[in-house]
Amino acid sequence: MNYKINELFETIQGEGSFTGQPSIFIRLQGCPVGCSWCDTKHTWNIELDDQVSPDIMLAKKAETSQWSSFTVAEIFALVQEKHFQAKHIVITGGEPCMVDLTPLCQLFEQQGYSTQIETSGTFEIITTEKCWVTVSPKINMRGGYKILASAMSRANEIKHPIATEQHVDDLKALLALHKVENTAIYLQPISQKKRATELAIATCIANNWRLSIQVHKYIGIE
């Protein structure tokens, strides 16, 4: 199968359990969830007019909605061609779980890589058993998609963006609904705002949760 890729680059993972891990990010095109504070809105729509050659997609110097189509073998070949040193693959978006990610994760895992998916939890997560799944539950977003029980049970970590007490209450209700007990919970202040950060810190301490502060944005890398 083919994957619609908006970006492919090597960097440092700045969020969640793998913070600090050298990683190869594969950003897929397409997401109907409609999160108001999304920082990758250029990946939402899949327009045929935005399909470009792999060379043009890889040469982009700014965020655009342009994407290119790759087979699994072509993605792996590209990673080798780029001589990336990282051995951790992060598949993100957009909403990567709109498609079956098993073939992609399987090939990289067979070649000695670890894999990770970052998803909103609104689509069935189809991947390998070894893949680390980060669910960032997007509750009551404009697209009207519900958080799936199957996504919550598959999550290796739950990473929740917050800015207000209501966001915290929404998360607690979601965790109770799906009886989440032994999964690592991360709170991520939206847009690194002071008030959101203070709320996240206080809430993490009160609930023995963890803080995710988007390190890549603080140090100015992708």
Side-chain angles (χ1 to χ4, degrees):
M1 66 181 294
N2 284 42
Y3 294 92
K4 297 176 177 63
I5 297 180
N6 180 283
E7 290 182 281
L8 192 152
F9 57 93
E10 186 177 45
T11 187
I12 297 291
Q13 171 63 286
E15 303 177 0
S17 297
F18 286 94
T19 295
Q21 176 79 42
S23 303
I24 299 163
F25 273 69
I26 301 173
R27 188 179 303 284
L28 301 187
Q29 188 75 14
C31 181
V33 177
C35 178
S36 60
W37 59 77
C38 176
D39 56 6
T40 56
K41 290 182 179 180
H42 59 287
T43 66
W44 284 9
N45 299 319
I46 300 174
E47 304 289 351
L48 291 180
D49 288 345
D50 286 330
Q51 184 173 7
V52 296
S53 70
D55 288 343
I56 292 176
M57 186 276 290
L58 292 167
K60 289 194 296 184
K61 300 299 183 184
E63 294 179 347
T64 77
S65 57
Q66 292 176 324
W67 57 271
S68 187
S69 183
F70 290 83
T71 66
V72 172
E74 288 170 341
I75 295 170
F76 182 75
L78 179 59
V79 168
Q80 300 304 299
E81 177 187 319
K82 292 290 184 182
H83 301 292
F84 291 149
Q85 298 301 303
K87 292 296 182 181
H88 183 65
I89 303 293
V90 181
I91 305 169
T92 187
E95 174 45 71
C97 290
M98 291 172 64
V99 296
D100 182 355
L101 297 170
T102 307
L104 183 56
C105 292
Q106 196 168 54
L107 176 59
F108 276 101
E109 289 169 2
Q110 289 171 348
Q111 299 299 321
Y113 291 78
S114 57
T115 60
Q116 177 184 4
I117 294 168
E118 297 180 336
T119 176
S120 64
T122 57
F123 286 80
E124 293 290 344
I125 300 168
I126 308 173
T127 188
T128 59
E129 289 185 9
K130 290 182 178 180
C131 181
W132 181 273
V133 175
T134 301
V135 173
S136 183
K138 300 303 188 293
I139 304 168
N140 298 326
M141 292 297 120
R142 189 173 63 192
Y145 288 81
K146 301 297 183 183
I147 308 301
L148 302 182
S150 60
M152 294 297 287
S153 64
R154 177 61 180 84
N156 296 102
E157 65 180 0
I158 294 169
K159 178 167 58 67
H160 191 58
I162 71 163
T164 67
E165 291 281 1
Q166 184 61 55
H167 294 144
V168 176
D169 292 343
D170 289 343
L171 175 60
K172 288 182 176 179
L174 187 69
L175 297 177
L177 175 65
H178 296 290
K179 299 179 172 61
V180 176
E181 296 178 352
N182 298 313
T183 306
I185 309 296
Y186 284 87
L187 295 187
Q188 189 159 288
I190 292 174
S191 301
Q192 299 84 49
K193 292 182 178 178
K194 184 175 186 293
R195 182 179 175 186
T197 302
E198 290 172 349
L199 174 62
I201 292 170
T203 306
C204 284
I205 292 172
N207 294 276
N208 199 29
W209 292 344
R210 306 178 187 183
L211 184 68
S212 177
I213 59 169
Q214 294 185 292
V215 168
H216 55 294
K217 292 186 178 180
Y218 278 97
I219 62 178
I221 62 172
E222 264 194 291

